[in-house]
Amino acid sequence: MRTVASSPEIRIDSYLSAGEERSLAYDVLDGLTRPFKEIPPKHFYDARGSELFERICELPEYYPTRTEREILSARAQDIVRCSGAGELVELGSGSAEKARILLGAMSAAGTLRRYVPLDVSESALEAAALELVDEFDELTVHGVIGDFERHLDRVPRGPADGASRIVALLGGTIGNFPPGTRRRMLRQIGALLGPEDRLLLGTDLVKNPAVLEAAYDDSQGVTAEFNRNVLHVINRELEADFAPEAFEHIAFYDREHEWVEMRLRARRPCTVWVAALGLRVQFAAGEELRTEISAKFTRARVEDDFRAAGLRLECWYTDSDQLFALSLARRL
Ligand code: AVJ
């Protein structure tokens, strides 16, 4: 562990060492040697990928971010009242834009104490911490630089005086995990909760496939660039020679699994050399590489996942078009 920043209000601990950031080498070696090639979606988010994702969030077709923000703004008071929380733990905090809404409600309720963001991006986390302690006098920040698939156990314990906390996983990120991993993640997150604590989970909802497919294949091609960005990441980090323009962006809704899949389809036969791994990979013309699944939920599916993970749904908040949902859950 490396202490990145320490002041009376802000402490930041890092569990990532340079190079090992998001376990890219293992994932690429595994993923590109599978019978159906696959790269996990967490590798989209280098500086350029994060910027492209920010642009996706502004697209007319991509409703999840603004809808979640709308629900949060309308319900933050309720969420805080229901939980009485004095602390917010946020997994994958990014720019902390959503946290600000919840922290504002906690401040108004007079319960606010501490914000515990966990993110892979040190720069984003530090900037957010500085802004937030400035905005909220009573706030301290204990940041954790890490990957929430690997470093959940580094999240500090809840407030000693027994004040309760909210652990938030927003944006629909939980949908990026296949069902078994998803339940395991929820169970691990549940282990951070005391009896009075709550999980706040954002999930995109099942809807008209045309709406879903447009959200993942926008008319300006920003999502296509975001998708191909993973090839740029592999080229740079692992000295590979992917020709990103040789891959076509594919996004479709799988009705059986109720998830959107993004893939990259080779337009022609390609041979790729990944120097850092000593690995040669062949793509046949038309062969596809899966880069993301993004599961869409119903209330029943969320409840089943919670139950299987030792949690129970307490409150369900959605928008008037039922596009997106926020759930509050507690330990069974
Ligand atoms: C940030 C994972 C929630 O699955 O909708 C956006 C990422 N991928 N457009 C999602 C994403 C394509 C997004 N999550």
Side-chain angles (χ1 to χ4, degrees):
M1 195 269 279
R2 191 160 53 87
T3 300
V4 176
S6 182
S7 73
E9 295 94 16
I10 301 177
R11 165 176 171 185
I12 300 177
D13 302 333
S14 175
Y15 297 95
L16 294 181
S17 51
E20 168 253 10
E21 255 66 16
R22 290 165 290 252
S23 58
L24 182 67
Y26 299 118
D27 289 347
V28 169
L29 182 55
D30 267 353
L32 294 187
T33 55
R34 283 184 186 158
F36 193 117
K37 297 182 177 72
E38 178 165 27
I39 302 290
K42 66 177 166 182
H43 302 298
F44 283 130
Y45 301 93
D46 66 344
R48 177 164 180 266
S50 302
E51 192 186 304
L52 286 165
F53 179 65
E54 298 287 316
R55 280 177 59 199
I56 288 174
C57 294
E58 313 270 293
L59 293 169
E61 295 97 331
Y62 194 77
Y63 59 85
T65 310
R66 61 172 166 274
T67 310
E68 184 181 51
R69 195 187 315 122
E70 197 180 292
I71 303 169
L72 256 187
S73 301
R75 306 299 202 137
Q77 251 199 346
D78 248 47
I79 292 166
V80 168
R81 199 179 322 112
C82 171
S83 61
E87 173 164 308
L88 175 64
V89 178
E90 189 179 16
L91 308 176
S93 46
S95 63
E97 197 211 318
K98 297 161 192 166
R100 178 170 281 118
I101 302 171
L102 287 164
L103 295 173
M106 288 159 79
S107 180
T111 54
L112 179 63
R113 291 213 208 137
R114 186 165 72 154
Y115 176 45
V116 180
L118 186 155
D119 203 89
V120 287
S121 169
E122 186 174 319
S123 52
L125 197 149
E126 200 169 3
L130 287 166
E131 277 180 34
L132 291 168
V133 296
D134 212 44
E135 189 169 334
F136 301 104
D137 284 339
E138 68 274 51
L139 183 69
T140 63
V141 175
H142 184 160
V144 180
I145 315 287
D147 175 348
F148 63 73
E149 281 182 77
R150 290 183 292 144
H151 299 114
L152 271 191
D153 58 333
R154 305 305 158 93
V155 169
R157 302 185 151 280
D161 58 5
S164 73
R165 63 178 175 179
I166 296 174
V167 177
L169 179 56
L170 301 173
T173 306
I174 191 71
N176 279 173
F177 299 104
T181 311
R182 182 162 79 221
R183 289 183 173 183
R184 189 168 62 227
M185 284 294 309
L186 288 172
R187 184 171 286 281
Q188 286 168 2
I189 295 169
L192 298 174
L193 303 178
E196 297 305 317
D197 297 340
R198 309 294 199 283
L199 166 64
L200 180 66
L201 184 72
T203 48
D204 197 10
L205 298 179
V206 168
K207 60 181 64 63
N208 180 350
V211 173
L212 286 168
E213 287 176 355
Y216 290 82
D217 191 8
D218 64 278
S219 60
Q220 296 172 49
V222 183
T223 310
E225 268 317 296
F226 173 75
N227 196 3
R228 279 190 284 265
N229 187 57
V230 74
L231 303 182
H232 291 282
V233 170
I234 297 169
N235 281 351
R236 187 187 60 239
E237 299 293 324
L238 301 175
E239 299 154 75
D241 61 359
F242 274 104
E245 35 345 301
F247 289 82
E248 181 191 355
H249 168 67
I250 307 283
F252 66 93
Y253 182 59
D254 177 333
R255 288 160 207 250
E256 190 195 329
H257 291 107
E258 298 183 311
W259 65 44
V260 170
E261 254 187 70
M262 295 209 310
R263 297 180 179 181
L264 290 166
R265 180 188 289 156
R267 298 183 205 267
R268 47 177 163 83
C270 300
T271 302
V272 179
W273 173 244
V274 188
L277 298 173
L279 176 71
R280 200 175 77 113
V281 187
Q282 313 253 37
F283 285 84
E287 188 176 344
E288 296 177 355
L289 163 67
R290 186 187 294 114
T291 52
E292 182 174 61
I293 64 164
S294 187
K296 306 306 161 192
F297 292 81
T298 56
R299 180 175 171 150
R301 191 178 192 181
V302 171
E303 283 180 307
D304 289 348
D305 283 341
F306 279 156
R307 211 170 304 112
L311 299 166
R312 75 185 148 85
L313 179 71
E314 185 180 36
C315 300
W316 172 262
Y317 305 110
T318 181
D319 54 292
S320 51
D321 297 323
Q322 318 262 34
L323 295 175
F324 198 94
L326 283 176
S327 306
L328 263 189
R330 45 199 308 189
R331 269 173 31 188
L332 264 182

